[in-house]
Amino acid sequence: MPSPTVDDTVLDALFEVLRQRRHAAPEESYVASLHHKGLNKILEKIGEEATETLLAAKDAESGEQSKQQALIAETADLWFHSLVMLSHLGLDHQAVINELARRFGVSGHDEKASRNKT
């Protein structure tokens, strides 16, 4: 995978790699093999990675550095497979970033309270 430049982010660079590999030969690319197997396989991988992330989080609660690093690695796997899913569905990671930005600074409590007033 090419290293991101100063002008782009890791997510942007990864998105481009995912885009390029989507239609590659399945035997030459892990990402292509996931796309070739279809959405259900990608979702299965997300479920697997989510479970591994949950288990790693429980272990990381001890504060042990190696357990915390394992949690970071599992979270990276979860994010990666989530990006593959978005790519498979023709969606851009930027839409997720935009949604997070839209929510930034809005209290969850305030947002929920405003729904109860209507």
Side-chain angles (χ1 to χ4, degrees):
M1 176 164 81
S3 297
T5 65
V6 175
D7 297 328
D8 60 349
T9 68
V10 171
L11 287 177
D12 292 333
L14 180 56
F15 178 76
E16 180 59 25
V17 170
L18 293 176
R19 187 191 65 73
Q20 291 173 2
R21 294 188 182 162
R22 179 166 183 186
H23 299 292
E27 58 277 353
E28 294 179 13
S29 164
Y30 175 69
V31 170
S33 72
L34 286 173
H35 285 295
H36 181 75
K37 292 174 184 172
L39 182 60
N40 284 345
K41 182 61 176 178
I42 295 167
L43 297 176
E44 179 184 309
K45 285 300 297 178
I46 292 172
E48 175 186 314
E49 297 303 341
T51 298
E52 291 174 0
T53 300
L54 294 172
L55 294 172
K58 290 297 287 179
D59 291 343
E61 190 174 30
S62 71
E64 187 180 327
Q65 186 175 14
S66 66
K67 301 291 185 185
Q68 291 175 337
Q69 185 56 45
L71 172 59
I72 290 167
E74 292 299 344
T75 302
D77 289 345
L78 178 60
W79 288 13
F80 173 82
H81 287 90
S82 295
L83 290 171
V84 172
M85 174 195 63
L86 290 172
S87 172
H88 188 80
L89 295 170
L91 298 170
D92 190 323
H93 69 287
Q94 190 61 50
V96 177
I97 292 169
N98 293 346
E99 178 61 17
L100 289 170
R102 184 189 70 77
R103 295 178 185 186
F104 195 81
V106 177
S107 163
H109 294 299
D110 291 344
E111 192 276 332
K112 186 174 180 179
S114 72
R115 287 185 294 179
N116 292 335
K117 291 179 182 178
T118 57

